[in-house]
Amino acid sequence: MSDNEPVSEHEKMARWWSTAISDISPGVIRLRGHDIVELIHGWDLVSVIWLMLRGTTPSPEEAALLQAAMVASVDHGPQAPSIAAARMAVTCGVGLNNAIATGVNVLGDVHGGAGQQCLELYLEIADDEAGSNDGLDAAVARVVDRWRSRQHYLPGFGHRFHPVDPRAAPLLQLVDRAAEQGAVSGRFARIARAVEAYLSLGRPRPVPLNIDGATAAIYGELGFTPQLARGLFCLSRSVGILAHAAEEQGSGARIKGPMPPSVLPAYTGPPPDHATS
Ligand SMILES: CC(C)(COP(=O)(O)OP(=O)(O)OC[C@H]1O[C@@H](n2cnc3c(N)ncnc32)[C@H](O)[C@@H]1OP(=O)(O)O)[C@@H](O)C(=O)NCCC(=O)NCCS
């Protein structure tokens, strides 16, 4: 059809939600061209996530890396605001769907969502390194200094609990192994380690690479966009949020606040007689 040919109302309607993802008609469900029966019989969930997001079949090495990143981000207990918020929500009488939405909604730039900005940081370093000839460490210094002139905390680094995040090294080791096999470049793992080393220069304790920074390295290796780095974290953490919300729901607790009722928040306003005088 040429650009000038009139488009029928029916065609306009069909194009309104046009999609390259799913092909659904009576009796037929195909995702990215694969019949749902084929997927039911032979595919694991991580490969289907890749298929849905990328439209291709992951290699076994790619699927293994994606799986590792998603397994590592599943849960961090009720100290994590995403888990606590979901547990509180469910004691207010909402359903598990609302509890999941509550938990996912707090995955922002500082908690759980930092992978998005962190991958942007890694990509900027990769670009700088490619466009200059003084090596990775110099590119890291330039880009990190630029970011830190705008914000104190670099996304993907630091942890409130762990002096060293126990998830980071095993994830980067998997990237190293996949790089040895030629499945990925290994470039983002090198960048992550170089940023950690730069941030830790001259400090008695390192500023550790955290889960968002380590998974951002994997998502970068796998060619996901920064936005999807956050999206994939949300998908993974939804599993932990669901488990915790279901456990809390099963306990029968009602209106559970952030701390036991016997502990009252410190009051910092005017004294009682001030308001009436
Ligand atoms: C996670 C986070 C909130 C923890 O913060 P915290 O426990 O309050 O850490 P502190 O502010 O006490 O930091 C301790 C020291 O490490 C430094 N530091 C911590 N995180 C840093 C970061 N991301 N970039 C640069 N320096 C950092 C602080 O400047 C501080 O240095 P100082 O001792 O010289 O003052 C913080 O590291 C952060 O915001 N990180 C970026 C967001 C992120 O990746 N979130 C995902 C967390 S899993």
Side-chain angles (χ1 to χ4, degrees):
M1 190 190 292
S2 86
D3 283 352
N4 298 331
E5 251 176 83
V7 179
S8 72
E9 288 305 305
H10 183 278
E11 185 58 25
K12 272 190 207 161
M13 303 268 279
R15 286 185 194 177
W16 188 257
W17 292 120
S18 65
T19 173
I21 299 173
S22 39
D23 180 11
I24 314 285
S25 57
V28 175
I29 301 175
R30 271 194 291 266
L31 304 180
R32 300 286 195 184
H34 294 264
D35 195 281
I36 193 69
V37 177
E38 175 206 336
L39 299 177
I40 289 169
H41 282 150
W43 284 57
D44 60 83
L45 183 59
V46 164
S47 299
V48 171
I49 292 170
W50 180 291
L51 176 73
M52 292 296 282
L53 296 177
R54 304 284 285 271
T56 57
T57 308
S59 69
E61 294 82 7
E62 288 169 331
L65 277 181
L66 178 57
Q67 167 153 301
M70 295 190 73
V71 166
S73 324
V74 151
D75 185 19
H76 200 258
Q79 273 289 350
S82 48
I83 301 291
R87 293 191 74 125
M88 266 195 281
V90 86
T91 69
C92 298
V94 302
L96 288 178
N97 53 326
N98 306 97
I100 292 174
T102 302
V104 168
N105 265 332
V106 303
L107 294 174
D109 293 351
V110 183
H111 168 48
Q116 179 172 335
Q117 288 93 341
C118 184
L119 184 47
E120 283 163 5
L121 169 76
Y122 293 164
L123 287 166
E124 206 171 308
I125 292 169
D127 269 2
D128 186 298
E129 187 192 12
S132 45
N133 53 11
D134 49 2
L136 176 59
D137 289 344
V140 165
R142 269 190 300 273
V143 176
V144 166
D145 288 352
R146 196 155 62 228
W147 277 57
R148 291 203 80 192
S149 69
R150 300 190 301 257
Q151 62 191 74
H152 180 76
Y153 293 96
L154 271 200
F157 296 84
H159 205 283
R160 182 139 291 166
F161 247 66
H162 305 295
V164 171
D165 190 320
R167 300 161 289 189
L171 288 173
L172 292 195
Q173 280 159 13
L174 289 177
V175 175
D176 294 342
R177 207 176 306 153
E180 279 161 27
Q181 294 162 351
V184 295
S185 72
R187 185 170 55 146
F188 290 87
R190 275 191 286 112
I191 292 174
R193 288 189 176 110
V195 174
E196 183 181 48
Y198 186 67
L199 280 181
S200 305
L201 275 177
R203 299 179 59 89
R205 278 176 48 183
V207 179
L209 178 67
N210 64 38
I211 182 66
D212 289 352
T215 52
I218 290 191
Y219 296 135
E221 295 286 350
L222 295 177
F224 285 101
T225 61
Q227 290 84 353
L228 280 176
R230 178 178 294 212
L232 284 162
F233 189 99
C234 293
L235 257 189
S236 154
R237 181 52 61 88
S238 296
V239 177
I241 290 172
L242 174 60
H244 279 274
E247 181 183 66
E248 194 67 53
Q249 192 178 50
S251 78
R254 295 160 67 82
I255 312 188
K256 199 162 161 183
M259 47 199 189
S262 57
V263 182
L264 297 176
Y267 175 68
T268 59
D273 56 344
H274 178 86
T276 53
S277 64

